[in-house]
């Protein structure tokens, strides 16, 4: 992940990842990233530009950056993506992103009234204007919808908005942060989160041929193969790294700008072994060990992995520290992702439905029902086997 800046022109009510005074990455950092990757790993590298708002870096930055990363011989490139509100997208940038096949994700929380209540007046129209420019120029765009303590009560309205427009989307929920408490009142309880997921799953199973909700695709696939396929439910440590505007390396974009989570800097071309000696890495390993020790008896450990390490660390800070002090240099007892109950609820629902479907399928081999409903919705097994 490349984070050109944490600055952002929008003011979403629950945002914790932007800093209005954040500086801007210059193209030299991209050149240093390219050099750093020479011999770093044998894996293919997928580059995601994140923020803040990454389009603030401008056309000239992306024209040079994409060329450097695409044509380099220091690594095997596997594609580009970008997370943006699209307010700054114009024809020139869209054509460039189309040329390099940059897939874009943008955030819309549902119909205009719901979205702008959460993200600020005018947000919806500005983002959809950018969306139209992207589509016109052949850029692939998918959506992210963030559910909050407010929007959870409008589940069907939000789902139907995406269904009506045939917009594929991913689910997010508002999160606590170690940067501040502005998002706290928007956060779903684990029980609310779990009920929301189960309800949306029911919606989705009526429409697998119409839209795609990537979270449920991953959850069902993870349950089927017994291994997490989404970063929230996978051992992401070391496979995902983020580089901030100044070249500092972090475990994930969520940590960018927080000094105690700096693992190294691209100017020094650190090896993976050197990054693993950092305090940041040690904190993440404590989370991993905590999951191994405390979740070993859980039915879903293989494809949940305790949830997101960042969420677990935030929960630890809330449980162990007073006030706004977020200094984690002194090790203390870590927590799993506080949404653990929600994850258990949805994985249990998927597993139970799959088992029931297999049982019914076996019974139907011997007892064919001529009155079987031919128009029934899709099944969990359809979702598990989806390509």
């Amino acid at each position: 992940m490349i984070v050109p800046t944490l600055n952002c022109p929008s003011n979403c009510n629950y945002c914790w990842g932007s800093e209005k005074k954040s500086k801007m990455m210059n193209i030299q950092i991209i050149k240093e990233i390219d050099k750093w990757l020479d011999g770093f790993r044998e894996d293919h590298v997928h580059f995601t530009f994140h923020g803040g708002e990454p389009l603030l870096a401008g056309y000239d930055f992306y024209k040079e950056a994409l060329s450097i990363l695409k044509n380099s011989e220091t690594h095997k490139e596997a594609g580009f993506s970008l997370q943006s509100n699209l307010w700054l997208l114009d024809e020139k940038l869209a054509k460039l992103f189309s040329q390099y096949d940059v897939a874009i994700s943008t955030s819309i929380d549902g119909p205009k009234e719901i979205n702008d209540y959460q993200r600020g007046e005018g947000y919806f129209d500005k983002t959809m204007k950018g969306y139209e420019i992207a589509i016109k120029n052949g850029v692939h765009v998918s959506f992210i919808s963030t559910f909050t303590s407010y929007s959870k009560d409008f589940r069907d309205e939000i789902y139907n908005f995406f269904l009506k427009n045939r917009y594929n989307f991913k689910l997010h929920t508002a999160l606590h942060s170690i940067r501040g408490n502005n998002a706290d009142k928007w956060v779903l309880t684990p029980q609310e989160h779990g009920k929301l997921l189960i309800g949306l799953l029911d919606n989705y199973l009526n429409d697998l041929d119409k839209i795609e909700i990537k979270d449920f695709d991953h959850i069902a696939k993870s349950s089927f193969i017994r291994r997490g396929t989404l970063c929230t439910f996978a051992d992401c440590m070391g496979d995902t790294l983020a580089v901030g505007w100044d070249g500092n390396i972090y475990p994930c974009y969520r940590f960018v700008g927080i000094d105690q989570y700096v693992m190294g800097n691209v100017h020094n071309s650190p090896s993976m072994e050197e990054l693993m000696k950092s305090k940041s890495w040690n904190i993440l390993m404590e989370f991993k060990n905590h999951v191994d020790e405390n979740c070993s008896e859980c039915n879903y450990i293989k494809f949940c992995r305790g949830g997101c390490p960042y969420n677990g660390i935030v929960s630890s800070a809330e449980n162990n520290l007073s006030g706004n002090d977020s200094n984690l240099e002194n090790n203390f007892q870590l927590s799993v992702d506080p949404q653990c109950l929600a994850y258990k609820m949805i994985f249990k629902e998927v597993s139970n439905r799959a088992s029931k479907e297999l049982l019914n399928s076996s019974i139907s081999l011997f007892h064919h029902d001529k009155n079987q409903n031919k128009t029934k919705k899709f099944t969990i097994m359809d979702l598990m086997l989806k390509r």
Side-chain angles (χ1 to χ4, degrees), residues 3-6 22-26 29 243-248 256:
V3 181
T5 182
L6 290 175
S22 174
K23 295 183 179 180
M24 185 69 62
M25 180 182 288
N26 63 53
I29 298 297
V243 180
W245 68 269
D246 54 359
N248 280 338
V256 170

Side-chain angles (χ1 to χ4, degrees), residues 172-210:
H172 278 191
T173 59
L175 297 171
H176 294 287
S177 172
I178 54 179
R179 300 174 189 263
N181 61 5
N182 65 294
D184 290 358
K185 71 175 184 177
W186 298 90
V187 175
L188 294 173
T189 68
Q191 188 76 24
E192 291 171 336
H193 187 185
K195 289 181 178 179
L196 174 71
L197 290 173
I198 293 171
L200 285 169
L201 175 64
D202 282 328
N203 291 131
Y204 187 37
L205 288 175
N206 286 312
D207 304 303
L208 290 188
D209 56 341
K210 299 181 181 69

Side-chain angles (χ1 to χ4, degrees), residues 1-23 49-54 56 83 85 107 119 146 172-184 242-245 250 252-258 310-311 314:
M1 293 181 169
I2 298 174
V3 181
T5 182
L6 290 175
N7 193 3
C8 182
S10 61
N11 292 286
C12 300
N13 286 309
Y14 49 77
C15 177
W16 45 261
S18 64
E19 295 178 5
K20 295 300 183 183
K21 296 181 180 180
S22 174
K23 295 183 179 180
F49 294 93
H50 214 290
E53 174 47 60
L56 285 168
Q83 171 67 36
N85 62 25
S107 293
R119 290 184 172 270
T146 298
H172 278 191
T173 59
L175 297 171
H176 294 287
S177 172
I178 54 179
R179 300 174 189 263
N181 61 5
N182 65 294
D184 290 358
V243 180
W245 68 269
Y250 303 84
C252 174
Y253 81 94
R254 291 179 173 179
F255 294 101
V256 170
I258 305 176
Y310 176 86
N311 293 348
V314 172

Side-chain angles (χ1 to χ4, degrees), residues 92-352:
K92 196 174 179 181
L93 267 170
K95 285 181 169 59
L96 179 67
F97 292 151
S98 178
Q99 176 187 342
Y100 285 94
D101 197 24
V102 179
I104 294 180
S105 294
T106 193
S107 293
I108 286 289
D109 293 347
K112 181 177 179 178
E113 295 76 12
I114 296 173
N115 178 85
D116 285 6
Y117 180 81
Q118 299 191 159
R119 290 184 172 270
E121 185 177 353
Y123 186 108
F124 184 94
D125 289 340
K126 292 177 185 178
T127 294
M128 296 313 297
K129 180 181 178 181
Y131 171 77
E132 295 298 332
I133 293 172
I135 296 302
K136 175 184 174 183
N137 287 279
V139 179
H140 175 76
V141 180
S142 60
F143 291 87
I144 296 172
S145 179
T146 298
F147 282 85
T148 68
S149 56
Y150 168 77
S151 65
K152 74 178 191 308
D153 296 327
F154 302 96
R155 186 198 80 204
D156 289 340
E157 290 92 331
I158 293 170
Y159 176 81
N160 288 330
F161 164 80
F162 288 103
L163 176 64
K164 177 182 177 181
N165 292 286
R166 298 296 192 267
Y167 294 154
N168 295 332
F169 68 106
K170 290 178 64 177
L171 305 172
H172 278 191
T173 59
L175 297 171
H176 294 287
S177 172
I178 54 179
R179 300 174 189 263
N181 61 5
N182 65 294
D184 290 358
K185 71 175 184 177
W186 298 90
V187 175
L188 294 173
T189 68
Q191 188 76 24
E192 291 171 336
H193 187 185
K195 289 181 178 179
L196 174 71
L197 290 173
I198 293 171
L200 285 169
L201 175 64
D202 282 328
N203 291 131
Y204 187 37
L205 288 175
N206 286 312
D207 304 303
L208 290 188
D209 56 341
K210 299 181 181 69
I211 63 169
E212 185 176 79
I213 305 179
K214 297 178 182 178
D215 306 75
F216 292 121
D217 294 352
H218 283 291
I219 288 169
K221 185 68 69 177
S222 297
S223 298
F224 184 65
I225 67 174
R226 315 297 290 178
R227 177 175 56 81
T229 62
L230 182 68
C231 70
T232 304
F233 307 125
D235 187 355
C236 63
M237 289 170 270
D239 284 338
T240 298
L241 295 170
V243 180
W245 68 269
D246 54 359
N248 280 338
I249 303 166
Y250 303 84
C252 174
Y253 81 94
R254 291 179 173 179
F255 294 101
V256 170
I258 305 176
D259 290 343
Q260 58 262 45
Y261 288 99
V262 175
M263 303 174 75
N265 191 287
V266 294
H267 287 96
N268 302 318
S269 293
S271 65
M272 192 65 224
E273 289 72 21
E274 289 172 319
L275 295 179
M276 291 168 66
K277 295 177 181 178
S278 65
K279 291 181 179 179
S280 176
W281 180 266
N282 288 335
I283 293 174
L284 292 177
M285 289 307 297
E286 285 184 17
F287 171 83
K288 183 176 181 178
N289 292 335
H290 177 76
V291 170
D292 288 338
E293 293 171 6
N294 292 273
C295 303
S296 59
E297 300 301 319
C298 179
N299 292 332
Y300 313 111
I301 178 62
K302 289 184 178 179
F303 45 95
C304 173
R305 293 300 311 158
C308 174
Y310 176 86
N311 293 348
I313 289 169
V314 172
S315 180
S316 299
E318 292 175 342
N319 293 336
N320 290 274
L321 300 175
S322 60
N324 293 320
D325 181 10
S326 59
N327 185 350
L328 300 180
E329 291 185 1
N330 295 320
N331 295 333
F332 51 82
Q333 185 66 43
L334 286 167
S335 303
V336 298
D337 188 325
Q339 293 296 328
C340 173
L341 174 61
Y343 306 149
K344 286 181 178 179
M345 288 172 67
I346 189 61
F347 279 123
K348 181 178 180 180
E349 188 74 15
V350 168
S351 298
N352 287 349

Side-chain angles (χ1 to χ4, degrees), residues 80-99:
F80 297 104
S81 56
L82 182 143
Q83 171 67 36
S84 168
N85 62 25
L86 299 181
W87 293 8
L88 301 176
L89 188 72
D90 56 19
E91 296 278 344
K92 196 174 179 181
L93 267 170
K95 285 181 169 59
L96 179 67
F97 292 151
S98 178
Q99 176 187 342

